[in-house]
Amino acid sequence: MRLPFSIPDHDRRLIPDGRLAGIMPWIIAIMLFLTALSAATAIRLGYSVQANSSGLARQATVQLLEPDPAARATDQKRIAAWLERFPGVSAVRAVPESEARQLLEPWIGSAVEDAGIPVPALIDIAFASPPDNAQLRALRIQLVRQTSNARVDTHSSWIAPLLSFLRTILWIALSVLLLLLVATAATVALSVRAALNTHRSTIEIMHMMGSTDLQVARLFQRRIA
């Protein structure tokens, strides 16, 4: 059973060629592999940039810089309850002090607990949608009215350099993908020209017998594809 895209026998006898003959098909195969690899890298980087930017843009942390432990714990509960009623906030979590101390241990070791250094009370906030500058400004203004020792840090500002680096790598991957596509197309064009030059005498005889350029081109279409 002949496949619909296979080259007919009479066309193969008219323009004979060997499968995988020469180095050109292998060059095209390598370039297509590199193109697929670049495309996969670009897609993965694009997904990572989108996922990280959208997820971190909706998160923020409130720090309560109160040196008194009792007052700090009281302010943490009160501010957490107030934040739950703030417009646009979908989730609020008061970070335990032990967990906050563990976050500092990789930088200053166990000296935080041994020296009795006060650790700011942390409150994690998750917005329903990424807040704009006006919403963050309103949050900071109203938070200062609740307590003067509060500070709001958005997670997107901390990871902005990493996202910028990922976007740069993404554009490089897309540029490499474009260059590989252009190079592959040029290689195929060179392969077509080489095939036409190889069978120049046969094409001239076909023209002498009345064949048109379209008929000659159809002999190479499926072969080159």
Coordinates of all heavy atoms in Angstrom, one line a residue, residues 34-112:
L34 N 18.4 21.3 17.1 CA 18.8 22.5 17.8 C 17.6 23.5 17.9 O 17.4 24.2 18.9 CB 20.0 23.2 17.2 CG 21.3 22.4 17.3 CD1 22.5 23.1 16.6 CD2 21.7 22.1 18.8
T35 N 16.9 23.6 16.8 CA 15.7 24.5 16.7 C 14.7 24.0 17.7 O 14.1 24.8 18.5 CB 15.1 24.5 15.3 OG1 16.1 24.9 14.4 CG2 13.9 25.4 15.3
A36 N 14.4 22.7 17.8 CA 13.4 22.2 18.7 C 13.9 22.4 20.2 O 13.1 22.7 21.1 CB 13.2 20.7 18.5
L37 N 15.2 22.2 20.4 CA 15.8 22.5 21.7 C 15.6 23.9 22.1 O 15.2 24.2 23.3 CB 17.2 22.0 21.8 CG 17.9 22.0 23.1 CD1 17.2 21.0 24.0 CD2 19.4 21.6 23.0
S38 N 15.9 24.8 21.2 CA 15.8 26.3 21.5 C 14.3 26.6 21.8 O 14.0 27.4 22.7 CB 16.3 27.1 20.4 OG 17.7 26.8 20.2
A39 N 13.4 26.0 21.0 CA 12.0 26.3 21.2 C 11.5 25.8 22.5 O 10.7 26.5 23.2 CB 11.1 25.7 20.1
A40 N 11.9 24.6 22.9 CA 11.5 24.1 24.2 C 12.1 25.0 25.4 O 11.4 25.2 26.4 CB 12.0 22.7 24.4
T41 N 13.3 25.4 25.2 CA 13.9 26.3 26.2 C 13.2 27.6 26.3 O 12.9 28.1 27.4 CB 15.4 26.6 25.9 OG1 16.1 25.3 25.8 CG2 16.0 27.4 27.0
A42 N 12.8 28.2 25.2 CA 12.1 29.5 25.2 C 10.7 29.3 25.8 O 10.2 30.1 26.6 CB 11.9 30.0 23.8
I43 N 10.0 28.2 25.5 CA 8.7 27.9 26.1 C 8.8 27.8 27.6 O 8.0 28.3 28.4 CB 8.0 26.7 25.4 CG1 7.7 27.0 24.0 CG2 6.8 26.3 26.2 CD1 7.2 25.8 23.2
R44 N 9.8 27.0 28.1 CA 10.0 26.8 29.5 C 10.3 28.1 30.2 O 9.8 28.3 31.3 CB 11.1 25.7 29.7 CG 11.3 25.4 31.2 CD 10.0 24.9 31.8 NE 10.2 24.6 33.3 CZ 9.3 24.3 34.1 NH1 8.0 24.2 33.7 NH2 9.5 24.1 35.4
L45 N 11.2 28.9 29.7 CA 11.6 30.1 30.3 C 10.4 31.1 30.3 O 10.1 31.8 31.3 CB 12.7 30.8 29.5 CG 14.1 30.2 29.8 CD1 15.1 30.8 28.8 CD2 14.5 30.3 31.2
G46 N 9.6 31.1 29.2 CA 8.4 32.0 29.2 C 7.4 31.6 30.3 O 6.8 32.4 31.0
Y47 N 7.2 30.3 30.4 CA 6.3 29.8 31.5 C 6.8 30.1 32.9 O 6.0 30.5 33.8 CB 6.1 28.3 31.4 CG 5.3 27.7 32.5 CD1 3.9 27.8 32.4 CD2 5.9 27.0 33.5 CE1 3.1 27.2 33.5 CE2 5.1 26.4 34.5 CZ 3.8 26.5 34.5 OH 3.0 26.0 35.5
S48 N 8.1 30.0 33.1 CA 8.7 30.3 34.4 C 8.6 31.8 34.7 O 8.2 32.1 35.9 CB 10.2 29.9 34.4 OG 10.3 28.5 34.2
V49 N 8.8 32.6 33.7 CA 8.7 34.1 34.0 C 7.3 34.5 34.3 O 7.0 35.2 35.2 CB 9.2 34.9 32.8 CG1 8.9 36.3 32.9 CG2 10.7 34.7 32.6
Q50 N 6.3 33.9 33.5 CA 4.9 34.2 33.8 C 4.4 33.7 35.1 O 3.8 34.4 35.9 CB 4.1 33.6 32.6 CG 2.6 34.0 32.8 CD 1.8 33.4 31.6 OE1 2.3 32.7 30.8 NE2 0.5 33.7 31.6
A51 N 4.8 32.5 35.5 CA 4.4 31.9 36.7 C 5.0 32.6 37.9 O 4.3 32.9 38.9 CB 4.7 30.4 36.8
N52 N 6.3 32.9 37.9 CA 6.9 33.6 39.0 C 6.4 35.0 39.1 O 6.2 35.5 40.3 CB 8.4 33.5 38.8 CG 9.0 32.1 39.0 OD1 8.4 31.3 39.7 ND2 10.1 31.9 38.3
S53 N 6.3 35.7 38.0 CA 5.9 37.1 38.1 C 4.5 37.3 38.6 O 4.2 38.1 39.4 CB 6.1 37.8 36.8 OG 5.3 37.2 35.8
S54 N 3.6 36.4 38.1 CA 2.2 36.5 38.5 C 1.9 36.1 39.9 O 1.1 36.6 40.7 CB 1.3 35.7 37.5 OG 1.6 34.3 37.6
G55 N 2.7 35.0 40.4 CA 2.5 34.5 41.7 C 3.1 35.5 42.8 O 2.5 35.8 43.8
L56 N 4.3 36.0 42.5 CA 5.0 36.8 43.5 C 4.4 38.2 43.5 O 4.5 38.9 44.5 CB 6.5 36.9 43.2 CG 7.2 35.6 43.4 CD1 8.7 35.7 43.0 CD2 7.2 35.2 44.9
A57 N 3.8 38.7 42.4 CA 3.2 40.0 42.3 C 2.0 40.1 43.2 O 1.6 41.2 43.6 CB 2.9 40.4 40.9
R58 N 1.4 39.0 43.6 CA 0.2 39.0 44.5 C 0.6 38.9 46.0 O -0.3 38.8 46.8 CB -0.7 37.9 44.1 CG -1.3 38.1 42.7 CD -2.4 37.1 42.4 NE -1.9 35.7 42.4 CZ -2.2 34.8 43.4 NH1 -2.9 35.2 44.5 NH2 -1.7 33.6 43.4
Q59 N 1.9 38.8 46.3 CA 2.3 38.6 47.7 C 3.1 39.7 48.2 O 3.8 40.4 47.5 CB 3.1 37.3 47.8 CG 2.4 36.0 47.3 CD 3.2 34.8 47.4 OE1 4.4 34.8 47.8 NE2 2.7 33.7 47.0
A60 N 3.0 40.0 49.5 CA 3.7 41.0 50.2 C 3.9 40.6 51.6 O 3.2 39.6 52.1 CB 3.0 42.3 50.1
T61 N 4.8 41.2 52.3 CA 5.1 40.9 53.7 C 5.1 42.2 54.5 O 5.7 43.2 54.1 CB 6.5 40.2 53.9 OG1 6.4 39.0 53.2 CG2 6.7 39.9 55.4
V62 N 4.4 42.2 55.7 CA 4.4 43.3 56.6 C 5.3 43.0 57.7 O 5.3 41.9 58.4 CB 3.0 43.6 57.1 CG1 3.0 44.7 58.2 CG2 2.0 44.0 56.0
Q63 N 6.3 43.9 58.0 CA 7.2 43.8 59.1 C 6.8 44.8 60.2 O 6.6 46.0 59.9 CB 8.6 44.1 58.6 CG 9.1 43.1 57.6 CD 10.6 43.4 57.2 OE1 11.3 43.9 58.0 NE2 11.0 42.9 56.0
L64 N 6.8 44.3 61.4 CA 6.5 45.1 62.6 C 7.8 45.2 63.4 O 8.2 44.3 64.1 CB 5.4 44.5 63.4 CG 4.0 44.3 62.7 CD1 3.0 43.6 63.6 CD2 3.5 45.6 62.2
L65 N 8.4 46.4 63.4 CA 9.7 46.7 64.0 C 9.5 47.2 65.4 O 9.8 48.3 65.8 CB 10.5 47.6 63.2 CG 10.6 47.3 61.7 CD1 11.3 48.4 60.9 CD2 11.3 46.0 61.5
E66 N 8.9 46.3 66.3 CA 8.7 46.7 67.7 C 9.7 45.9 68.6 O 9.7 44.7 68.6 CB 7.2 46.3 68.1 CG 6.9 46.5 69.5 CD 7.1 47.9 70.0 OE1 6.5 48.8 69.3 OE2 7.7 48.1 71.0
P67 N 10.5 46.6 69.3 CA 11.5 45.9 70.2 C 10.9 45.1 71.3 O 11.5 44.2 71.8 CB 12.4 47.0 70.6 CG 11.6 48.3 70.6 CD 10.7 48.1 69.4
D68 N 9.8 45.6 71.9 CA 9.2 44.9 73.0 C 8.5 43.6 72.5 O 7.6 43.7 71.7 CB 8.2 45.8 73.7 CG 7.6 45.2 75.0 OD1 8.3 44.3 75.5 OD2 6.5 45.6 75.4
P69 N 8.9 42.4 73.0 CA 8.2 41.2 72.6 C 6.7 41.1 72.8 O 6.0 40.7 71.9 CB 9.0 40.1 73.3 CG 10.3 40.7 73.8 CD 10.0 42.2 74.0
A70 N 6.3 41.5 74.0 CA 4.9 41.5 74.3 C 4.1 42.4 73.4 O 3.0 42.0 72.8 CB 4.6 41.8 75.7
A71 N 4.5 43.6 73.2 CA 3.9 44.6 72.3 C 3.9 44.1 70.9 O 3.0 44.3 70.1 CB 4.5 46.0 72.5
R72 N 5.0 43.5 70.5 CA 5.2 43.0 69.1 C 4.2 41.9 68.8 O 3.6 41.9 67.8 CB 6.6 42.5 68.9 CG 6.9 42.1 67.5 CD 8.4 41.9 67.2 NE 8.9 40.8 68.0 CZ 9.8 41.0 69.0 NH1 10.3 42.2 69.3 NH2 10.3 39.9 69.7
A73 N 4.0 41.0 69.7 CA 3.0 39.9 69.6 C 1.6 40.4 69.5 O 0.8 40.0 68.7 CB 3.2 38.9 70.7
T74 N 1.3 41.4 70.4 CA 0.0 42.0 70.4 C -0.3 42.7 69.1 O -1.4 42.6 68.5 CB -0.2 43.0 71.6 OG1 0.1 42.3 72.8 CG2 -1.6 43.6 71.6
D75 N 0.7 43.5 68.6 CA 0.5 44.2 67.3 C 0.4 43.3 66.1 O -0.4 43.6 65.2 CB 1.7 45.2 67.1 CG 1.7 46.4 68.0 OD1 0.6 46.6 68.6 OD2 2.7 47.1 68.1
Q76 N 1.1 42.2 66.2 CA 1.0 41.2 65.1 C -0.4 40.7 65.0 O -1.0 40.6 63.9 CB 2.0 40.1 65.3 CG 2.0 39.1 64.1 CD 3.0 37.9 64.4 OE1 3.1 37.5 65.5 NE2 3.6 37.5 63.4
K77 N -1.1 40.3 66.1 CA -2.4 39.8 66.0 C -3.4 40.9 65.6 O -4.3 40.6 64.8 CB -2.8 39.2 67.4 CG -2.0 38.0 67.8 CD -2.5 37.5 69.2 CE -1.6 36.3 69.7 NZ -2.0 35.9 71.0
R78 N -3.2 42.1 66.1 CA -4.1 43.1 65.8 C -4.0 43.5 64.3 O -5.0 43.7 63.6 CB -3.9 44.3 66.7 CG -4.8 45.6 66.4 CD -4.5 46.6 67.5 NE -3.1 47.1 67.4 CZ -2.6 48.0 66.6 NH1 -3.5 48.6 65.8 NH2 -1.4 48.4 66.7
I79 N -2.8 43.7 63.8 CA -2.6 44.1 62.4 C -3.1 43.0 61.5 O -3.6 43.2 60.4 CB -1.1 44.4 62.1 CG1 -0.7 45.7 63.0 CG2 -0.9 44.7 60.7 CD1 -1.5 46.9 62.7
A80 N -2.8 41.7 61.9 CA -3.3 40.6 61.0 C -4.8 40.6 60.9 O -5.3 40.4 59.8 CB -2.8 39.3 61.6
A81 N -5.5 40.8 62.0 CA -7.0 40.9 61.9 C -7.4 42.1 61.1 O -8.4 42.0 60.4 CB -7.5 41.0 63.3
W82 N -6.7 43.2 61.2 CA -7.1 44.4 60.4 C -6.8 44.1 58.9 O -7.6 44.6 58.0 CB -6.3 45.6 60.8 CG -6.5 46.8 60.0 CD1 -7.5 47.7 60.1 CD2 -5.6 47.3 59.0 NE1 -7.4 48.7 59.2 CE2 -6.2 48.5 58.5 CE3 -4.4 46.9 58.5 CZ2 -5.7 49.2 57.5 CZ3 -3.8 47.6 57.4 CH2 -4.5 48.8 57.0
L83 N -5.7 43.5 58.6 CA -5.4 43.2 57.2 C -6.4 42.2 56.5 O -6.6 42.3 55.3 CB -4.0 42.6 57.0 CG -2.8 43.5 57.3 CD1 -1.5 42.8 57.3 CD2 -2.8 44.6 56.2
E84 N -7.0 41.4 57.3 CA -8.0 40.5 56.7 C -9.2 41.2 56.2 O -9.9 40.7 55.3 CB -8.4 39.4 57.8 CG -7.4 38.4 58.1 CD -7.8 37.5 59.2 OE1 -8.9 37.7 59.8 OE2 -7.1 36.5 59.5
R85 N -9.5 42.4 56.7 CA -10.6 43.2 56.2 C -10.2 44.3 55.2 O -11.1 45.0 54.7 CB -11.2 43.9 57.4 CG -11.7 43.0 58.5 CD -12.5 43.8 59.6 NE -11.7 44.8 60.2 CZ -10.9 44.6 61.3 NH1 -10.9 43.4 61.9 NH2 -10.2 45.6 61.9
F86 N -8.9 44.3 54.8 CA -8.5 45.3 53.9 C -8.9 44.9 52.5 O -8.8 43.7 52.1 CB -6.9 45.4 53.9 CG -6.4 46.6 53.1 CD1 -6.4 47.9 53.7 CD2 -5.9 46.4 51.8 CE1 -5.9 48.9 52.9 CE2 -5.5 47.5 51.1 CZ -5.4 48.7 51.7
P87 N -9.4 45.9 51.7 CA -9.9 45.5 50.3 C -8.8 45.0 49.4 O -7.7 45.5 49.4 CB -10.4 46.9 49.8 CG -10.7 47.7 51.0 CD -9.7 47.3 52.0
G88 N -9.1 43.9 48.8 CA -8.2 43.2 47.8 C -7.3 42.2 48.4 O -6.7 41.4 47.7
V89 N -7.3 42.0 49.8 CA -6.5 41.0 50.4 C -7.3 39.7 50.5 O -8.4 39.7 51.0 CB -6.0 41.5 51.8 CG1 -5.3 40.4 52.5 CG2 -5.1 42.7 51.7
S90 N -6.7 38.6 50.0 CA -7.4 37.3 50.0 C -7.0 36.4 51.1 O -7.8 35.5 51.5 CB -7.2 36.6 48.7 OG -5.9 36.4 48.4
A91 N -5.8 36.6 51.6 CA -5.3 35.7 52.7 C -4.2 36.4 53.5 O -3.4 37.2 53.0 CB -4.7 34.4 52.1
V92 N -4.2 36.1 54.8 CA -3.3 36.7 55.7 C -2.8 35.6 56.7 O -3.5 34.8 57.2 CB -4.0 37.9 56.6 CG1 -3.0 38.4 57.6 CG2 -4.5 39.0 55.7
R93 N -1.5 35.6 56.9 CA -0.8 34.6 57.8 C 0.2 35.3 58.6 O 1.1 35.9 58.1 CB -0.2 33.5 56.9 CG 0.6 32.5 57.8 CD 1.2 31.4 56.9 NE 2.1 30.6 57.7 CZ 3.4 30.7 57.8 NH1 4.0 31.7 57.1 NH2 4.1 29.9 58.5
A94 N 0.0 35.2 60.0 CA 1.0 35.7 60.9 C 2.1 34.7 61.1 O 1.9 33.5 61.5 CB 0.3 36.0 62.3
V95 N 3.3 35.1 60.7 CA 4.5 34.1 60.8 C 4.9 34.0 62.2 O 5.2 35.0 62.9 CB 5.6 34.7 59.9 CG1 6.8 33.7 59.9 CG2 5.1 34.8 58.5
P96 N 5.0 32.8 62.7 CA 5.5 32.6 64.1 C 6.9 33.1 64.3 O 7.7 33.1 63.3 CB 5.4 31.1 64.3 CG 4.5 30.6 63.3 CD 4.6 31.5 62.1
E97 N 7.3 33.5 65.5 CA 8.6 34.1 65.7 C 9.7 33.0 65.5 O 10.8 33.4 65.0 CB 8.7 34.6 67.2 CG 10.0 35.3 67.5 CD 10.0 35.9 68.9 OE1 9.0 35.9 69.6 OE2 11.1 36.4 69.3
S98 N 9.4 31.8 65.9 CA 10.4 30.7 65.6 C 10.7 30.6 64.2 O 11.9 30.4 63.8 CB 9.9 29.4 66.2 OG 8.7 29.0 65.6
E99 N 9.7 30.7 63.3 CA 10.0 30.6 61.9 C 10.7 31.8 61.4 O 11.6 31.6 60.5 CB 8.6 30.4 61.2 CG 8.7 30.2 59.7 CD 7.4 30.0 59.0 OE1 6.4 29.6 59.7 OE2 7.3 30.2 57.8
A100 N 10.4 33.0 61.9 CA 11.2 34.2 61.5 C 12.6 34.1 61.9 O 13.5 34.5 61.1 CB 10.5 35.4 62.1
R101 N 12.9 33.5 63.0 CA 14.3 33.3 63.4 C 15.1 32.3 62.5 O 16.2 32.5 62.2 CB 14.4 32.9 64.9 CG 14.0 34.0 65.9 CD 14.1 33.5 67.3 NE 13.7 34.6 68.3 CZ 14.5 35.6 68.7 NH1 15.7 35.7 68.2 NH2 14.0 36.5 69.5
Q102 N 14.4 31.3 62.1 CA 15.0 30.3 61.2 C 15.3 30.9 59.9 O 16.3 30.5 59.2 CB 14.0 29.1 61.0 CG 13.9 28.3 62.2 CD 12.9 27.1 62.0 OE1 12.3 27.0 60.9 NE2 12.6 26.3 63.0
L103 N 14.6 31.9 59.4 CA 14.9 32.6 58.2 C 16.2 33.4 58.3 O 16.8 33.6 57.2 CB 13.7 33.5 57.8 CG 12.4 32.9 57.5 CD1 11.3 33.9 57.2 CD2 12.5 32.0 56.3
L104 N 16.6 33.8 59.5 CA 17.8 34.6 59.6 C 19.0 33.8 59.9 O 20.1 34.2 59.8 CB 17.6 35.6 60.7 CG 16.5 36.7 60.5 CD1 16.4 37.6 61.8 CD2 16.9 37.6 59.3
E105 N 18.8 32.5 60.3 CA 20.0 31.7 60.7 C 21.0 31.5 59.5 O 22.2 31.4 59.8 CB 19.5 30.3 61.2 CG 18.9 30.4 62.6 CD 18.5 29.0 63.1 OE1 18.7 28.0 62.4 OE2 18.0 28.9 64.3
P106 N 20.5 31.3 58.3 CA 21.5 31.1 57.2 C 22.5 32.3 57.1 O 23.6 32.2 56.5 CB 20.7 30.9 55.9 CG 19.4 30.4 56.4 CD 19.2 31.1 57.7
W107 N 22.1 33.5 57.5 CA 22.9 34.7 57.4 C 23.8 35.0 58.6 O 24.9 35.4 58.5 CB 22.1 35.9 57.0 CG 21.6 35.9 55.6 CD1 22.3 36.5 54.5 CD2 20.5 35.3 55.0 NE1 21.6 36.2 53.3 CE2 20.5 35.5 53.6 CE3 19.4 34.6 55.6 CZ2 19.5 35.1 52.8 CZ3 18.4 34.2 54.8 CH2 18.4 34.4 53.4
I108 N 23.1 34.9 59.8 CA 23.9 35.3 61.0 C 23.9 34.1 62.0 O 24.3 34.3 63.1 CB 23.2 36.5 61.7 CG1 21.7 36.2 62.0 CG2 23.3 37.7 60.8 CD1 21.1 37.4 62.6
G109 N 23.6 32.9 61.6 CA 23.7 31.7 62.4 C 22.8 31.8 63.6 O 21.7 32.4 63.6
S110 N 23.2 31.1 64.7 CA 22.4 31.0 65.9 C 22.5 32.2 66.8 O 22.0 32.2 67.9 CB 22.7 29.7 66.7 OG 24.1 29.7 67.0
A111 N 23.3 33.2 66.4 CA 23.5 34.4 67.2 C 22.2 35.1 67.5 O 22.1 35.9 68.5 CB 24.5 35.3 66.6
V112 N 21.2 35.0 66.6 CA 20.0 35.7 66.8 C 19.3 35.3 68.1 O 18.8 36.1 68.9 CB 19.0 35.4 65.6 CG1 17.7 36.1 65.8 CG2 19.7 35.8 64.3

